[in-house]
């Protein structure tokens, strides 16, 4: 057998949670790879809502989605994910089946623009209310850069205190690799 790598494991969690016609969130759109993945999972009768604070990310991902004819089922917001409750339509609330956060900086972009613990935690708190029961939030945590180290610590403290009656919290991490490899926190709403 072969153990699943971090990104394949993140995707297999999302695949298990989200079916055709359902609703998903890409909380950090970036270059749009996860947005495309989610758009294919939900299909043309489903909906994906994506967030990014960088115009470049929204522009590049809009283009990528159009090229792959996936733009109809995706709405992108040039806003922070901490504005999620105020941004998604009311009928979506309570029906979201899965969300992904790929934290850190935009690969190939400005490395000084990184996700921040306070806004990441605010978005996770809001999503906990918006998820359907058994919906899942997957966080891929990059902690090789200094801000990533702080974000990792604050996120771990936050998720460890979530009420186990309300959420299952999983950590998936390779513990004998060098250079701070990314790891996953997955939160399943009960
Ligand atoms: C690691 S990249 C995402 C990679 C992306 N998932 C992909 O498939 O290419 C992290 C992204 O988070 C964005 N970001 C930073 N703070 C944010 C916030 N508060 N809300 C939404 N996106 C944010 C950055 O602009 C960056 O594009």
């Amino acid at each position: 057998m072969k153990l699943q790598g971090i990104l394949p494991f993140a995707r297999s969690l999302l695949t298990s949670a989200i079916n055709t016609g359902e609703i998903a969130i890409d909380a950090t759109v970036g270059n749009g790879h996860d947005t495309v993945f989610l758009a294919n999972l939900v299909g043309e009768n489903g909906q994906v809502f994506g967030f990014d604070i960088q115009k470049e990310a929204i522009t590049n991902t809009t283009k990528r989605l159009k090229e792959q004819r996936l733009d109809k089922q995706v709405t992108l917001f040039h806003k922070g994910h901490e504005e999620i409750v105020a941004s998604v339509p009311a009928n979506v609330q309570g029906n979201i089946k899965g969300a992904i956060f790929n934290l850190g900086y935009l690969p190939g972009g400005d490395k000084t623009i990184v996700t921040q613990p306070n806004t990441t935690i605010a978005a996770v708190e809001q999503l906990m209310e918006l998820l359907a029961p058994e919906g899942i939030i997957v966080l891929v945590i990059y902690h090789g850069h200094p801000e990533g180290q702080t974000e990792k610590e604050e996120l771990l403290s936050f998720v460890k205190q979530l009420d186990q009656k309300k959420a299952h919290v999983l950590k998936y991490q390779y513990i004998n690799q060098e250079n701070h490899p990314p790891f996953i926190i997955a939160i399943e709403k009960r």
Side-chain angles (χ1 to χ4, degrees):
M1 77 154 300
K2 208 169 171 202
L3 290 172
Q4 267 190 317
I6 296 300
L7 296 180
F9 186 64
R11 290 191 168 186
S12 71
L13 289 170
L14 294 167
T15 304
S16 303
I18 304 164
N19 294 308
T20 309
E22 294 185 334
I23 301 165
I25 303 285
D26 186 351
T28 51
V29 164
N31 291 320
H33 301 290
D34 295 319
T35 320
V36 164
F37 178 75
L38 292 174
N40 278 310
L41 268 189
V42 302
E44 57 189 22
N45 295 322
Q47 279 178 289
V48 177
F49 297 92
F51 293 82
D52 205 294
I53 54 171
Q54 293 193 68
K55 185 78 187 137
E56 180 192 353
I58 301 297
T59 304
N60 293 347
T61 301
T62 301
K63 185 165 173 277
R64 192 184 290 279
L65 289 165
K66 282 202 174 124
E67 281 164 3
Q68 302 193 34
R69 295 180 194 279
L70 292 167
D71 50 310
K72 300 267 183 309
Q73 62 257 47
V74 180
T75 306
L76 297 178
F77 294 103
H78 179 207
K79 293 183 184 180
H81 40 227
E82 62 278 12
E83 294 188 58
I84 185 168
V85 167
S87 307
V88 296
N91 67 323
V92 162
Q93 311 206 357
N95 293 316
I96 294 169
K97 298 302 288 292
I100 176 119
F101 291 72
N102 228 307
L103 300 176
Y105 51 80
L106 179 64
D110 184 343
K111 292 189 177 170
T112 64
I113 304 174
V114 292
T115 51
Q116 302 288 336
N118 57 340
T119 44
T120 303
I121 290 170
V124 171
E125 284 177 325
Q126 292 176 34
L127 266 169
M128 287 298 293
E129 300 300 319
L130 300 180
L131 281 183
E134 298 187 13
I136 196 163
I137 303 170
V138 179
L139 298 131
V140 184
I141 300 175
Y142 293 84
H143 52 112
H145 55 295
E147 301 95 332
Q149 186 71 25
T150 311
E151 188 170 39
K152 172 190 92 169
E153 282 159 17
E154 293 197 22
L155 266 173
L156 282 174
S157 313
F158 168 72
V159 297
K160 278 181 190 164
Q161 55 76 45
L162 288 174
D163 183 348
Q164 65 172 1
K165 295 194 196 75
K166 295 191 177 155
H168 294 296
V169 182
L170 167 93
K171 185 177 180 198
Y172 185 78
Q173 179 176 29
Y174 286 90
I175 58 173
N176 67 334
Q177 291 179 352
E178 292 176 352
N179 300 326
H180 311 288
F183 66 93
I184 286 175
I185 296 287
I187 305 169
E188 182 192 46
K189 180 169 174 172
R190 300 187 68 178

